[in-house]
Amino acid sequence: MEYANSLIDRILTANGVTEINIPVSREAGAKPMHVYELHVSALTELYAYALEEERRPPPLAVSTPITYTPTDVYYLTQLVINNLEEVYRDSGGYIDFSMNSHSGKSPADVYQELFELYYRLNLLNGKSKVSPNEVYSHIFRAKEDLQFSLLTLSKHLADSDEIKKRLLVTAIYGMHPDGSTMTPLEAGKKPGDVIAKSITIRGKLNLLRKRNKLPEIPRPKLEEFGAAKPIDAFLQTQFIIAELNLLKIPMDISSTTNSAKAVSGKTPSDVYQEMKHIEYMIDRLIQAL
């Protein structure tokens, strides 16, 4: 990933982009599954760039419920590197540097490098920053994924578990069997509110992991973010998507997560509302299991 960042730095410099404020990941507990998920989004950015420049795009990866290993991540890293090398060479660049050797690195170290790469890929695609639109498109992926999981689980239940079936299915629509519904959209939310909600969601996902005899995933503390930005919220969506996929394994669900779909006009309040729905469904899942 360090080598990939060197490549894209040179590509951006050739395109006149030199001043970059690199974001910092607060995810000290990142695992291979999280690194894999962020690769999926990085490859999507490379794919979009290739289409815009009428280049041959890289293969797209998908998010699936498997236990990812560093080897799985390495395959995606090679896809990223091969594509960036092609772009660099085709733009007249000469690769006169190589990969450095390292030791003692963890998935969290790789995650920071990959986070920086994703940010630079956004710049390559003409986006000055990660917007609420992009965050929304990814949290919507997570919501759709969880909706399908709840529907699948309801079908797995015996007919005698009618109450649990209703609890799961109605949650998909933000409803309770008693007729009550989720609270409506709350205006004026900020990225910090989204971060706070995502940390709460991840705590409840950890509860589900514990019930399924899986180790907890460390969460960052809200105060570590300072003035939170949409890109910080984006990173939380990637963690939530990855963890929802891993939880499918003990629940015997094999569906893949949909790709992100472009949206416009979204605000942090819209993102917050989708996260509220995710939390609502997780609460129902905890209640039904």
Side-chain angles (χ1 to χ4, degrees):
M1 294 318 311
E2 181 185 66
Y3 174 71
N5 270 310
S6 296
L7 284 167
I8 196 167
D9 253 346
R10 295 193 178 199
I11 294 168
L12 287 170
T13 298
N15 290 346
V17 180
T18 55
E19 294 186 13
I20 305 174
N21 294 318
I22 299 299
V24 176
S25 164
R26 280 86 175 177
E27 301 295 346
K31 306 297 182 187
M33 65 178 181
H34 303 116
V35 184
Y36 185 98
E37 182 58 45
L38 190 52
H39 266 87
V40 172
S41 294
L43 281 165
T44 301
E45 288 296 317
L46 275 171
Y47 189 93
Y49 175 76
L51 293 183
E52 181 67 26
E53 298 296 319
E54 298 184 346
R55 299 179 56 83
R56 180 174 60 85
L60 287 175
V62 295
S63 310
T64 57
I66 67 171
T67 303
Y68 295 109
T69 69
T71 301
D72 299 311
V73 175
Y74 179 75
Y75 291 147
L76 295 193
T77 303
Q78 291 305 299
L79 278 176
V80 170
I81 286 174
N82 291 342
N83 195 263
L84 286 174
E85 284 182 338
E86 285 183 14
V87 172
Y88 183 59
R89 288 194 180 99
D90 290 348
S91 63
Y94 177 71
I95 299 178
D96 55 356
F97 58 97
S98 60
M99 297 184 200
N100 295 321
S101 296
H102 295 281
S103 63
K105 296 297 181 182
S106 68
D109 297 316
V110 179
Y111 201 77
Q112 175 60 36
E113 286 288 336
L114 179 55
F115 189 32
E116 294 179 16
L117 178 74
Y118 178 83
Y119 189 77
R120 289 181 170 102
L121 287 171
N122 266 256
L123 297 176
L124 186 64
N125 280 325
K127 294 178 279 188
S128 61
K129 59 183 179 181
V130 172
S131 73
N133 291 324
E134 188 162 358
V135 181
Y136 183 92
S137 69
H138 283 271
I139 199 59
F140 191 79
R141 291 175 63 206
K143 185 187 82 168
E144 284 185 320
D145 200 30
L146 186 53
Q147 285 174 317
F148 186 81
S149 291
L150 262 61
L151 181 60
T152 302
L153 282 172
S154 72
K155 293 178 179 179
H156 288 174
L157 292 172
D159 292 340
S160 58
D161 286 327
E162 185 63 29
I163 294 177
K164 289 184 178 180
K165 283 177 176 283
R166 289 188 179 186
L167 283 171
L168 293 174
V169 173
T170 53
I172 294 172
Y173 305 101
M175 298 173 59
H176 191 276
D178 65 9
S180 61
T181 60
M182 281 176 51
T183 55
L185 187 144
E186 303 168 51
K189 293 297 181 182
K190 305 295 182 185
D193 299 311
V194 175
I195 297 293
K197 179 62 70 176
S198 67
I199 291 173
T200 299
I201 288 171
R202 287 177 57 183
K204 293 180 178 182
L205 287 171
N206 270 336
L207 177 58
L208 286 171
R209 289 180 64 83
K210 185 177 181 180
R211 287 192 180 184
N212 287 286
K213 297 180 172 56
L214 297 170
E216 292 189 10
I217 302 298
R219 296 175 292 160
K221 293 181 173 60
L222 181 59
E223 56 268 24
E224 294 176 7
F225 289 89
K229 299 178 180 178
I231 192 165
D232 297 312
F234 163 79
L235 203 59
Q236 294 305 304
T237 69
Q238 303 301 285
F239 262 71
I240 291 170
I241 290 168
E243 290 171 29
L244 284 174
N245 263 303
L246 272 227
L247 281 167
K248 291 178 189 175
I249 298 174
M251 292 189 280
D252 195 26
I253 298 172
S254 59
S255 61
T256 60
T257 307
N258 290 336
S259 299
K261 301 176 181 66
V263 297
S264 61
K266 299 300 181 183
T267 68
S269 290
D270 296 309
V271 177
Y272 188 84
Q273 185 67 13
E274 298 299 343
M275 284 200 171
K276 273 169 51 179
H277 195 174
I278 288 174
E279 183 183 17
Y280 188 88
M281 288 189 283
I282 292 172
D283 284 342
R284 199 68 61 80
L285 184 58
I286 292 170
Q287 183 181 354
L289 292 181

